[in-house]
Amino acid sequence: MLEVEKKYKIDHPAQILERLSDAGAVLQSTEQHADTYYRHPSRDFVQTKEALRIRSIDSVASVTYKGPKLLVGDSSLKARKEIEWCLAPGDSDGLKMTQLLLALGFSPVTTVRKERQAFCWPETHPQLSGFTVTIDRVQEVGLYAEIELLLPDASPEEVDAAGERIRRLAERLGVSQSVSESYLQLLLNQSGG
C-alpha cells in the first residue's frame, strides 16, 4: 500500500473536532502510541528518507517499515510505501523484535509518545470514504492533525490527485498550517538531537 498524508499543526482542537462532526466523521478509536524508531547499522535512514519502528498501541506491538518518500509537487505531502504487521500473539509487547533488531546491529533513536484519536467516514459519505483523520497529542511536541489516504501502488498522477483531495478536506476542516517534518524529526529538533 501507498500512504499519502499531510500533517497540520492545530491551535484550536475544539474547532477541528466540531468540523469533523459536521462533516459526518465518526470517532473510531482513541489510543496511546509509543513509537520506538531504529537506526540501521550500515545505512543512514535520514539520508534515504526511510524509517523502521516498533509501535506499541495500548501495549500491543507492531513493526513498521516506511520506504523512501516519493517526490511529489507539494513538499509537505508525504507519499511512501508502508509495510506493517502486528507482532501478537507471539510477541505482543515487541520485546523479541527489539532483541532481534539489536542483535542485527540496529540501535534505538528515541521513542515518540502520543495519544491518537482516529476519525473516518461511514459508507453514507462516499466522497470521503478512504480518508482517515487523526488528532495527535504528541508529548513534548504539540497537537497535530494528519489527513491520510491509503492507495494501492499508484502512479504519480494518482498521488497528486490524492494530494488535492487531502488539500480540499483540510480546507473544509479549517486547518492550513502544514508541517513537513515527522513527529520523530520534531521531537529530535525539540530536544536538540
Side-chain angles (χ1 to χ4, degrees):
M1 291 300 275
L2 192 65
E3 176 187 68
V4 182
E5 70 177 34
K6 195 163 184 174
K7 181 186 299 110
Y8 299 88
K9 179 84 172 110
I10 299 175
D11 295 320
H12 306 289
Q15 176 185 347
I16 190 170
L17 291 172
E18 181 179 328
R19 289 186 179 193
L20 280 164
S21 177
D22 290 348
V26 176
L27 176 64
Q28 292 297 299
S29 61
T30 300
E31 304 167 330
Q32 301 300 319
H33 289 206
D35 297 342
T36 302
Y37 288 85
Y38 288 86
R39 186 175 292 112
H40 194 285
S42 61
R43 188 159 78 213
D44 184 352
F45 281 164
V46 173
Q47 294 297 316
T48 63
K49 308 288 190 220
E50 297 170 281
L52 180 67
R53 72 172 181 226
I54 295 177
R55 168 174 279 176
S56 176
I57 300 175
D58 297 330
S59 300
V60 176
S62 62
V63 65
T64 307
Y65 165 76
K66 293 187 175 215
K69 295 173 188 169
L70 303 176
L71 296 176
V72 292
D74 179 351
S75 64
S76 64
L77 183 70
K78 289 184 185 171
R80 60 190 343 186
K81 179 171 249 163
E82 183 174 301
I83 303 168
E84 183 171 52
W85 65 96
C86 184
L87 297 173
D91 188 20
S92 62
D93 59 8
L95 290 178
K96 291 178 185 174
M97 179 56 77
T98 298
Q99 291 172 342
L100 174 64
L101 292 175
L102 295 175
L104 292 172
F106 287 80
S107 57
V109 176
T110 194
T111 300
V112 176
R113 298 179 190 286
K114 64 182 173 280
E115 178 187 87
R116 169 167 279 183
Q117 292 179 291
F119 296 84
C120 65
W121 280 264
E123 293 178 9
T124 55
H125 292 78
Q127 73 281 12
L128 295 171
S129 68
F131 276 105
T132 300
V133 175
T134 61
I135 307 298
D136 293 329
R137 294 178 191 281
V138 186
Q139 287 182 14
E140 302 178 44
V141 175
L143 188 61
Y144 296 84
E146 286 188 352
I147 303 175
E148 175 184 286
L149 276 170
L150 289 179
L151 305 174
D153 289 336
S155 69
E157 295 78 22
E158 290 168 312
V159 171
D160 285 340
E164 178 58 25
R165 290 181 64 203
I166 288 171
R167 186 199 61 75
R168 286 194 309 264
L169 180 56
E171 189 175 277
R172 184 173 178 181
L173 297 176
V175 292
S176 59
Q177 189 179 344
S178 66
V179 177
S180 59
E181 296 89 2
S182 68
Y183 294 138
L184 174 61
Q185 291 168 316
L186 290 168
L187 180 61
L188 292 174
N189 292 345
Q190 185 86 359
S191 65

